[in-house]
Amino acid sequence: MGALGVVYGDIGTSPIYAFRQAMNVRPGVTSSDSEILGLLSLIVWALTLTVAVKYVFFVTRADNNGEGGTLSLMALARKTFTNPPVWITVMGVMGAAMFFGDAIITPAISVLSAVEGVQLVAPGMARWVVPITLVIIVGVFFVQRFGTAKVSIIFGPVTGLWFLVLGFSGLVHIIAYPGVLWALNPWLGIEFVTTHIGLAFVVFGAIFLAVTGAEALYVDLGHFGRKPIVIVWFALVFPCLLLNYFGQGAFVLEAGIENVQSPFFEMQPDWALGPFVALATAATIIASQAVISGTYSLAQQAIALNMLPRMMVLHTSETQSGQIYMPQINTMLMVGVLLLVLAFGSSSELSHAYGIAVSGVMVMTLMLLVVVMWRNWKWHPAAVIAFGVVFAIIDGGFFIANAAKLFQGGWVPAVVAAMVALVMWSWMAGRQRLSEKTRRDEVPLQFLVDNLAKKKPTLVPGTAVFLTSDIEGAPTALLHSLKHYKVLHEQNVILTVRTSASPRVPDDEKVTIDAYNELFSRVVVTFGYMESPNLPKALALGRKLGWKFDIMSTSFFLSRRSLKPGPKSGSPLRYWQDRLFTRLARNASDATEYFHIPTGRVVEIGTQVVL
């Protein structure tokens, strides 16, 4: 029920506008019945091939220990390479960035399209559509703090009722006009495309609206697991979607093409229109949940993989570690969605902006999936090529069709995706340059340990833990501590935190301890990229390895780097990247908070680094 409410809300509201938009690009009111059947056939087979076959059957199998999303797929693909090629990372970054672009469009178009239904009940309410939409969107983002589990308790039953109503309302019209079932014939769709070449890409852009939400389905895999997602799709979601689309087609063919503007709402009986609009509004509110929760998961993965600066991650479930809430991401998404609603004002206008980011995510997913099929699943190359070619034609067609709407509004998600990609790439490049620079200035750790063992400074009781990302070099905090305090603790731990390519690391594999001598030990803590890096809890696991860890007698020494952009030299891109990285680093969450270290046990030692 939770998977139904969170995962399928997005794709479940596509019938509100997908068939309507496809009708709007048909060749005039003189269109024949066969052309309407052709449009319907394209929608039916797009759902079948893209969602049922590609995503539900294949993509959800490409989980990285239960986690999904473009970055999980990227991590899975990189595992099989000793030195992963850069293009795999590039595809992961592009896919993640495009999903962020999608995440600001989906809530806006979903809620707007439903609230616009009030105009059919009360035409005088037209001027209140945008204000009502803004209030609902603020409410949606406000309840995110309560967590996916609590939200899905309400969302699941409402979404279940929504799909049942979708299926029943469509079935009524199918019974009245059973000839609509001819749309099951894929040739009708192919014939429509071949006889309307000039409209083909415009039609593909409208048809694509029926499959949006599939990309969020994969990102939300870690919240519920594959089994409930697959069961709900084939048992309820897919049949009800097909029934409703066929029902809309039957209503249009029965009422006359020229007499229908919004088949989804107009095919409902007058007495049911008011409650139906209310249910549709509730369903579209829920539709936003899939991309919102998916964005949290994707952002957490990006942070753990060092693709984004640290941000606050709050776990909202005691049983599902994948259910999280990120306040900063939530605020940024809300502001973006509100601005879009104010700028475009209607779902019809927003539909032009919708699609580029989603289709781009699907293309990146396909390319990474082909690598996984070939290297992880060990498929025969001929099967991999056949699968890749078939879906490259489908996904490529959708992407080109949506790219044609670039100057009609499609530039919005494209710009957002480009900005996110720039931030991620600048952060990764900046971290690499910072690491190289600090490594040149650091003293080799083994050299320092050997010297201190021969000539011990004054020792004080307790344990000092020095955090460092460089295994070979001495931590900056240790060097400055010796320089200024001229003392050393009885036990000194050089601690390095690593992120595994797996979503989670078992407790018995999380901590490794090696002793340099009686004064120094090396501890490496490994977290999965979907885990919250809680250092005190992880270090407590070291007791099983013989380390008598006591948080109250332990001090954590952190080096706080103050970054300064260097002089303007080299390429302009490098100059601005350094400044962007510096600003991002300044706004990153505090390491003490990120690693859940008690503030009373932390000593921060500052150092200035010029990039």
Side-chain angles (χ1 to χ4, degrees):
M1 189 60 72
L4 174 63
V6 173
V7 176
Y8 288 114
D10 187 4
I11 199 168
T13 54
S14 296
I16 297 175
Y17 46 79
F19 191 59
R20 180 193 71 195
Q21 291 301 115
M23 284 178 55
N24 288 341
V25 297
R26 70 187 191 277
V29 296
T30 58
S31 302
S32 65
D33 290 359
S34 63
E35 287 172 327
I36 296 300
L37 290 174
L39 289 172
L40 187 58
S41 179
L42 288 172
I43 289 178
V44 168
W45 285 101
L47 271 175
T48 303
L49 293 175
T50 300
V51 186
V53 175
K54 178 188 170 186
Y55 270 91
V56 177
F57 194 76
F58 285 108
V59 176
T60 55
R61 293 177 184 273
D63 68 293
N64 194 356
N65 290 346
E67 297 298 336
T70 311
L71 294 180
S72 281
L73 198 56
M74 179 198 74
L76 201 61
R78 291 176 60 176
K79 279 182 179 180
T80 58
F81 293 91
T82 305
N83 295 308
V86 176
W87 58 267
I88 290 183
T89 303
V90 170
M91 286 193 294
V93 169
M94 289 177 63
M98 289 177 184
F99 187 86
F100 280 101
D102 168 34
I104 67 167
I105 297 284
T106 297
I109 192 173
S110 296
V111 178
L112 255 180
S113 62
V115 177
E116 285 169 351
V118 303
Q119 298 175 76
L120 299 174
V121 181
M125 291 287 290
R127 63 193 180 97
W128 291 100
V129 167
V130 170
I132 292 172
T133 300
L134 295 176
V135 171
I136 291 174
I137 287 172
V138 171
V140 168
F141 283 98
F142 178 79
V143 301
Q144 296 303 317
R145 67 191 64 208
F146 299 114
T148 308
K150 290 185 175 66
V151 168
S152 65
I153 290 174
I154 300 173
F155 284 6
V158 174
T159 308
L161 176 62
W162 169 252
F163 278 110
L164 291 174
V165 171
L166 282 185
F168 180 76
S169 64
L171 182 61
V172 170
H173 291 282
I174 294 171
I175 293 172
Y177 198 100
V180 74
L181 294 176
W182 280 109
L184 284 169
N185 181 0
W187 177 250
L188 292 176
I190 297 172
E191 187 178 38
F192 180 92
V193 173
T194 55
T195 55
H196 300 87
I197 296 296
L199 287 173
F201 284 119
V202 182
V203 170
F204 281 162
I207 298 299
F208 183 71
L209 296 174
V211 301
T212 54
E215 78 293 348
L217 173 156
Y218 180 46
V219 178
D220 282 323
L221 189 65
H223 286 255
F224 303 100
R226 181 175 186 269
K227 187 176 180 180
I229 290 176
V230 173
I231 290 174
V232 170
W233 170 257
F234 286 109
L236 180 66
V237 177
F238 192 34
C240 290
L241 285 176
L242 291 181
L243 286 173
N244 191 265
Y245 280 119
F246 278 122
Q248 289 189 52
F251 174 74
V252 170
L253 293 172
E254 188 179 17
I257 303 168
E258 67 280 0
N259 299 320
V260 180
Q261 295 298 320
S262 182
F264 181 79
F265 289 112
E266 292 176 26
M267 75 180 195
Q268 311 305 326
D270 292 339
W271 62 267
L273 192 56
F276 194 80
V277 169
L279 180 61
T281 304
T284 50
I285 293 171
I286 295 169
S288 309
Q289 187 63 43
V291 292
I292 293 172
S293 57
T295 305
Y296 299 154
S297 296
L298 206 62
Q300 185 194 25
Q301 294 175 31
I303 292 168
L305 294 170
N306 293 321
M307 293 180 171
L308 283 177
R310 291 189 301 264
M311 285 180 272
M312 184 184 296
V313 179
L314 303 176
H315 287 260
T316 59
S317 172
E318 295 181 359
T319 57
Q320 292 286 338
S321 59
Q323 295 184 7
I324 58 174
Y325 168 65
M326 300 183 67
Q328 292 161 293
I329 295 294
N330 193 66
T331 301
M332 287 187 285
L333 279 182
M334 182 180 69
V335 172
V337 173
L338 293 176
L339 289 175
L340 278 184
V341 172
L342 289 171
F344 286 85
S346 73
S347 61
S348 296
E349 291 298 318
L350 262 175
S351 67
H352 297 305
Y354 202 31
I356 289 183
V358 184
S359 57
V361 173
M362 291 184 175
V363 171
M364 295 300 108
T365 300
L366 175 64
M367 295 174 71
L368 290 170
L369 180 64
V370 167
V371 176
V372 170
M373 287 177 164
W374 170 42
R375 296 185 64 90
N376 295 65
W377 297 353
K378 306 300 181 183
W379 275 28
H380 192 280
V384 174
I385 292 171
F387 180 92
V389 169
V390 169
F391 284 97
I393 293 172
I394 297 172
D395 292 346
F398 281 140
F399 182 75
I400 294 172
N402 284 288
K405 299 186 291 184
L406 182 65
F407 299 105
Q408 296 174 278
W411 59 270
V412 174
V415 168
V416 172
M419 291 171 61
V420 173
L422 176 62
V423 167
M424 295 176 76
W425 203 257
S426 298
W427 181 254
M428 289 188 290
R431 277 184 56 87
Q432 184 177 359
R433 284 199 292 273
L434 178 61
S435 176
E436 291 171 354
K437 186 172 183 61
T438 54
R439 191 176 291 116
R440 288 197 300 266
D441 299 335
E442 284 180 350
V443 176
L445 179 60
Q446 190 65 55
F447 173 80
L448 180 66
V449 168
D450 291 342
N451 279 352
L452 290 174
K454 295 175 183 176
K455 187 178 180 181
K456 296 179 182 178
T458 303
L459 298 181
V460 296
T463 300
V465 175
F466 297 91
L467 271 71
T468 178
S469 58
D470 184 7
I471 291 182
E472 302 297 329
T476 305
L478 172 59
L479 294 174
H480 281 261
S481 177
L482 288 169
K483 178 181 178 181
H484 296 290
Y485 303 143
K486 297 179 175 59
V487 296
L488 200 64
H489 284 71
E490 292 175 338
Q491 289 185 325
N492 299 275
V493 175
I494 310 301
L495 175 63
T496 300
V497 178
R498 288 178 167 175
T499 301
S500 171
S502 300
R504 293 176 185 82
V505 175
D507 285 350
D508 58 349
E509 300 176 14
K510 199 177 289 295
V511 180
T512 58
I513 300 176
D514 294 304
Y516 287 107
N517 52 42
E518 60 180 9
L519 287 178
F520 284 92
S521 299
R522 156 72 66 191
V523 175
V524 178
V525 179
T526 306
F527 293 103
Y529 62 79
M530 284 299 291
E531 291 183 287
S532 177
N534 191 313
L535 272 182
K537 283 186 178 180
L539 294 178
L541 298 173
R543 293 168 182 162
K544 298 179 181 178
L545 302 176
W547 180 21
K548 297 179 181 179
F549 175 74
D550 178 14
I551 189 69
M552 298 311 297
S553 63
T554 301
S555 298
F556 292 84
F557 286 79
L558 278 65
S559 174
R560 178 179 285 273
R561 293 189 180 96
S562 176
L563 303 180
K564 299 289 183 182
K568 189 173 182 179
S569 59
S571 68
L573 178 61
R574 169 74 176 269
Y575 175 76
W576 288 109
Q577 264 195 333
D578 284 347
R579 271 144 187 78
L580 177 58
F581 174 71
T582 301
R583 186 168 293 274
L584 290 171
R586 287 173 183 168
N587 289 286
S589 293
D590 187 69
T592 303
E593 182 180 25
Y594 183 73
F595 290 116
H596 297 85
I597 306 172
T599 54
R601 310 308 308 170
V602 174
V603 178
E604 290 190 348
I605 299 178
T607 180
Q608 191 174 95
V609 179
V610 179
L611 293 174

